[in-house]
Amino acid sequence: MTSNADPYSQAVQEFRSRKDAHFKAGQGPLEPAALPDFTGLSYFAPDPAWTFTVPLEPLPQDASAEFILQTNTGETRTMARYGRVQVPLPGGEHSLSVFTPLGEEAPARVFIPFRDATSGQETYGAGRYLDAPVGRDSDGGLLVNVDFNMAYHPYCAYGDGWTCPLPPRENVLPEVVRAGEKLPTAPA
């Protein structure tokens, strides 16, 4: 990390350093045999252009009932589809479904699984995840900070034995999102 980096990039780099240290300490999905050679995950350079604070459109209570997400192992994961966000990506606005654990009525964060045009080439093929903070605007409306720089691979990207939810069809973006975690072999 360089001292001349802007505060946003420094904050992203510090978060990534903490995550790398967590993995290196054996607290992540890496097999013990991989730890001695682990030097950190691969990431796209932080870019504030991939950060959006957007209104959260909650679904009516009856519509946000259980939603079944498929997983990489064929099992299912049941969550609540809490609402939707409209994200103004470079290729146009896209709607993404956001999820919460069942029964969570006022979440501090929402879960956004997604795939994009980098999936399977520059990023994990099954998709990536965002844990997006929820806040409020001055009128009390819900806002979500969708920061693709914080996109991460699910644990199943690192080895067998993990069950990871797959993004639903409506969360497949047709364009490239070069932000967040990437495969070690992907270009910078």
Side-chain angles (χ1 to χ4, degrees), residues 38-112:
F38 179 72
T39 59
L41 299 172
S42 296
Y43 303 95
F44 293 102
D47 183 352
W50 287 104
T51 300
F52 309 94
T53 300
V54 295
L56 170 60
E57 304 164 18
L59 294 174
Q61 286 291 45
D62 59 333
S64 65
E66 295 182 3
F67 186 88
I68 305 296
L69 289 168
Q70 298 302 312
T71 70
N72 63 310
T73 60
E75 298 173 34
T76 59
R77 178 83 42 93
T78 304
M79 298 191 81
R81 182 165 37 190
Y82 190 75
R84 300 186 69 72
V85 292
Q86 299 290 330
V87 182
L89 297 177
E93 192 165 84
H94 294 281
S95 180
L96 295 169
S97 289
V98 303
F99 300 89
T100 62
L102 291 174
E104 194 166 323
E105 294 179 19
R109 296 185 169 279
V110 290
F111 174 63
I112 308 174

Side-chain angles (χ1 to χ4, degrees), residues 103-129:
E104 194 166 323
E105 294 179 19
R109 296 185 169 279
V110 290
F111 174 63
I112 308 174
F114 73 97
R115 291 187 75 222
D116 68 281
T118 68
S119 297
Q121 298 172 39
E122 296 174 80
T123 62
Y124 183 56
R128 293 183 283 164
Y129 298 161

Side-chain angles (χ1 to χ4, degrees), residues 16 19-21 23-24 30 35 37-43 184:
R16 291 172 175 181
K19 181 174 182 179
D20 288 346
F23 275 40
K24 180 73 174 169
L30 300 178
L35 294 176
D37 296 328
F38 179 72
T39 59
L41 299 172
S42 296
Y43 303 95

